[in-house]
Amino acid sequence: MAAALMNRDERRDVILDVAKAFFLSNGYAATSMSAIAARLGGSKGTLYNYFKSKEELFAAMMQRQCAELAQSLFEFDVEGADPRARLVHFGGVFLDTLMRDDSIQIQRLVTAETGRFPELGHAFYDSGPKVVLDRLGGYVGQLMDQGTLRKDDPRVAATRFKDLTLSGVYQLKLWGVLGEFTATQMEEQVAGAVDTFLRAYAP
C-alpha cells in the first residue's frame, strides 16, 4: 500500500514493523531514529510525529507484541470454561509465543542491552510480562474467589504458573541448546505445569 494512501494507524503499524526489524537485526544501541526514517522513506521529523524517542518506539513495539499475545490468551470467554482447560490454553499459547524465534530475539536483545540502557528493561517489563501477568493474575484471582483454588496472592500464583510452564525448556531455547521441541512435547510440558499448579493450589 502506498504511503500516501495509508491512514495514521496503518502508517504507525508500518513504522513498528520496520523498527522491529532494525532492533532485532542491529540491536538497540545500533538502531537510530534516522536509519528507521530513511528506511521508511520519510523525514526524521515525520517519524517523531509518531514517536518522540527511540525508547518510546521500542515500548510501542513491545506493547503491540503483548497485545497480540493477550488477545490469544483471552480469546474465549472465562465464564463457564473448565479451569484446567482454560489454564492449558493459557500455558499453550504463552509457551508457544515465547518460544518463537522473534520472541527469543527480543528477550536476548533486552538481556544484552538493558545494563547500558535501563529504560529498555523497564519498557520491556511494563509493556510485556507485567501486562500478561496482571491479566493472568486476574483470572487466577477469580478461581480463588470461586473456591476452585485455595486463597493466596493471585499475582504470585500467576507468576508461579508462568515459571512452571517455562521450566526446563525456555532457558535452553534462549541459550540455543534445546534442539527440536515438538508439538507433542509442548503439550506434555503445559499439561505437567497445569497439573502441578492445580495440585499446589488445591483448596
Side-chain angles (χ1 to χ4, degrees):
M1 182 183 296
L5 300 179
M6 293 182 189
N7 62 37
R8 185 172 179 84
D9 288 342
E10 291 168 338
R11 183 64 173 169
R12 185 178 188 275
D13 278 338
V14 170
I15 292 172
L16 292 176
D17 288 340
V18 171
K20 180 178 179 179
F22 266 88
F23 284 131
L24 295 185
S25 62
N26 301 326
Y28 184 78
T31 295
S32 69
M33 297 290 273
S34 297
I36 293 172
R39 176 66 59 85
L40 290 165
S43 68
K44 191 161 66 170
T46 301
L47 178 57
Y48 277 104
N49 285 335
Y50 287 85
F51 303 101
K52 296 177 182 178
S53 65
K54 184 168 68 171
E55 177 189 353
E56 184 178 308
L57 178 56
F58 181 84
M61 181 196 78
M62 284 304 309
Q63 286 164 358
R64 186 179 66 167
Q65 187 113 342
C66 179
E68 294 171 357
L69 172 59
Q71 182 178 0
S72 298
L73 285 173
F74 295 88
E75 65 187 3
F76 61 86
D77 293 335
V78 173
E79 295 295 332
D82 173 70
R84 187 182 186 282
R86 185 67 175 176
L87 290 171
V88 166
H89 172 75
F90 285 159
V93 173
F94 184 69
L95 183 59
D96 181 64
T97 300
L98 264 66
M99 296 283 274
R100 288 187 337 213
D101 288 342
D102 61 341
S103 297
I104 291 294
Q105 287 177 298
I106 289 173
Q107 180 68 55
R108 289 171 177 163
L109 168 67
V110 173
T111 302
E113 304 214 39
T114 196
R116 289 181 294 167
F117 303 99
E119 69 276 9
L120 192 65
H122 287 288
F124 172 73
Y125 175 72
D126 290 341
S127 59
K130 183 178 185 298
V131 173
V132 173
L133 284 173
D134 285 347
R135 298 272 318 256
L136 181 56
Y139 177 61
V140 169
Q142 291 179 33
L143 295 180
M144 290 176 176
D145 291 340
Q146 295 165 7
T148 303
L149 301 177
R150 66 175 172 82
K151 282 285 188 178
D152 205 329
D153 185 322
R155 178 62 186 276
V156 172
T159 301
R160 288 172 178 162
F161 176 68
K162 179 264 296 182
D163 290 342
L164 286 168
T165 302
L166 301 179
S167 177
V169 295
Y170 180 65
Q171 282 189 314
L172 296 181
K173 177 72 172 179
L174 198 62
W175 298 332
V177 297
L178 180 63
E180 183 183 11
F181 191 62
T182 66
T184 298
Q185 288 174 305
M186 186 171 294
E187 290 174 3
E188 292 172 349
Q189 172 77 13
V190 172
V194 171
D195 290 340
T196 300
F197 178 77
L198 290 176
R199 285 196 299 271
Y201 283 92

